[in-house]
Amino acid sequence: MTDPETGTSDTAAHDHDTPPAPFTAAEAAQVRKFWRDLGLPGIIDVHTHFMPRRVMDKVWAYFDSVGPMIGREWPITYRADEDVRVSALQAFGVRVYSSMIYPHKADMAEWLNGWGADFAAHHPDCLHTSTFYPEPDAASYVSKAIERGTRVFKSHIQVGDYSPLDPSLTSVWAQIADVGVPVVIHCGSGPTPGRFTGPEPIAALLRQFPSLPLIVAHMGTPEYEAFLDLADTYENVRLDTTMSFTDFSEEGAPFPVELRPRLLDLGDKILFGSDYPNIPYPYAEGLDALVRLDLGDDWLRRVFYENAASLFGVGA
């Protein structure tokens, strides 16, 4: 396939200039002990990123330069070649993960969807992930992705800089609502606001398509309460924990203590996500952050495995 970013084949050789395995046996043992102590068969991580190499390189370059924008550095803990990153998840005992792909411009999404389908075909533990962008052929390639068996979509309103209410997406949302394929959607205003981020556009979208199966990424950081309200109101709205409650996230956008009881009330609608490999701390920190909420082992079991297993039809 030809990379629309560079005009070259994504399968072309590249320099393997990334470091060796960015995880240790001790770290893997720590993560595995965590889910075994809960009596789980592993972890389901609904928010991990695998992308074509050149796209991932651009994402990493963005995080390398984002410091001045957010006021602190964002080092990539798991910067490594693709096979090493997959091996790390396997070593951690992550049974199911995703390949959250997303375009930042037109004429890119369909190419990413082809890559995502191929990646899932070669990595059975990965949910077949697809994406879209507001453009004339969006409805057509989303239909193709559904026909090919995609199991989750990714929408990144912040990076894509588009409104979810763009008319070219009306048919996309209608198809997704009809078939019920979940959409992990980055619509909160963290780490920096975008033109179309925040709860208001999503609330308007849900009024139009109330059955949309949305998974609000990052718990809707920093508009936590408003997105919890939407999960309360709409049956198919869920939230993922990606980076939330960690020391890194709490420093810039702390989750209000008074909202913690609502996490328990919505325990069936919260899914674990990590943002691996693009996290500035070890994988286990995302697990420990949820433990520190002190909401009980039953809640943890639902968040780390059972809720996603039910949503995506994953066996025990």
Side-chain angles (χ1 to χ4, degrees):
M1 291 180 290
T2 299
D3 183 343
E5 286 287 287
T6 64
T8 61
S9 170
D10 185 58
T11 58
H14 57 74
D15 293 330
H16 290 265
D17 53 0
T18 49
F23 69 99
T24 65
E27 181 184 11
Q30 178 187 6
V31 174
R32 297 180 78 90
K33 182 179 186 303
F34 171 85
W35 53 260
R36 283 173 173 157
D37 286 350
L38 286 171
L40 293 174
I43 291 171
I44 298 178
D45 189 337
V46 302
H47 196 134
T48 62
H49 291 282
F50 289 89
M51 305 176 180
R53 172 60 187 257
R54 290 174 180 83
V55 177
M56 185 63 87
D57 284 347
K58 288 180 179 292
V59 170
W60 286 344
Y62 167 80
F63 283 113
D64 288 343
S65 65
V66 80
M69 186 186 304
I70 65 172
R72 54 183 165 162
E73 296 304 306
W74 192 310
I76 304 296
T77 302
Y78 299 96
R79 192 189 303 258
D81 284 328
E82 183 179 280
D83 57 345
V84 176
R85 285 180 274 125
V86 170
S87 295
L89 291 181
Q90 293 171 337
F92 294 160
V94 176
R95 287 195 59 191
V96 178
Y97 56 93
S98 59
S99 61
M100 295 279 103
I101 46 179
Y102 53 87
H104 62 273
K105 62 182 183 179
D107 299 320
M108 187 176 179
E110 188 169 16
W111 168 71
L112 286 172
N113 288 350
W115 184 93
D118 185 68
F119 183 85
H122 288 88
H123 299 85
D125 295 339
C126 182
L127 296 170
H128 177 178
T129 309
S130 300
T131 189
F132 49 83
Y133 189 83
E135 53 193 336
D137 58 344
S140 175
Y141 63 67
V142 163
S143 177
K144 290 178 184 176
I146 292 170
E147 290 174 3
R148 295 184 70 178
T150 196
R151 299 179 69 189
V152 64
F153 283 97
K154 168 68 171 181
S155 170
H156 207 315
I157 288 171
Q158 182 189 54
V159 169
D161 190 31
Y162 62 82
S163 170
L165 303 174
D166 189 292
S168 64
L169 293 178
T170 300
S171 181
V172 167
W173 295 123
Q175 291 183 68
I176 290 171
D178 185 51
V179 299
V181 176
V183 181
V184 174
I185 184 166
H186 187 134
C187 48
S189 298
T192 56
R195 288 195 300 157
F196 304 105
T197 58
E200 292 83 5
I202 302 304
L205 178 66
L206 287 164
R207 286 193 293 270
Q208 187 176 1
F209 298 101
S211 66
L212 266 179
L214 300 182
I215 302 173
V216 176
H218 304 275
M219 298 294 296
T221 305
E223 295 102 347
Y224 302 111
E225 186 169 14
F227 283 110
L228 287 170
D229 289 344
L230 290 177
D232 252 337
T233 303
Y234 294 95
E235 180 181 0
N236 292 330
V237 173
R238 298 170 173 84
L239 306 101
D240 79 32
T241 67
T242 302
M243 295 191 68
S244 301
F245 316 109
T246 62
D247 291 342
F248 187 87
S249 181
E250 288 289 289
E251 179 183 331
F255 187 89
V257 174
E258 64 271 18
L259 294 181
R260 286 191 185 181
R262 298 192 65 185
L263 299 176
L264 199 57
D265 294 340
L266 289 167
D268 292 333
K269 289 192 162 195
I270 298 174
L271 314 174
F272 174 67
S274 68
D275 228 0
Y276 174 93
N278 305 329
I279 48 178
Y281 47 73
Y283 192 87
E285 167 61 16
L287 314 181
D288 294 338
L290 297 182
V291 173
R292 292 196 298 265
L293 295 173
D294 196 26
L295 297 176
D297 286 356
D298 286 344
W299 185 85
L300 292 173
R301 280 188 280 269
R302 282 182 285 170
V303 170
F304 283 110
Y305 191 87
E306 293 169 0
N307 293 343
S310 176
L311 180 62
F312 293 107
V314 179

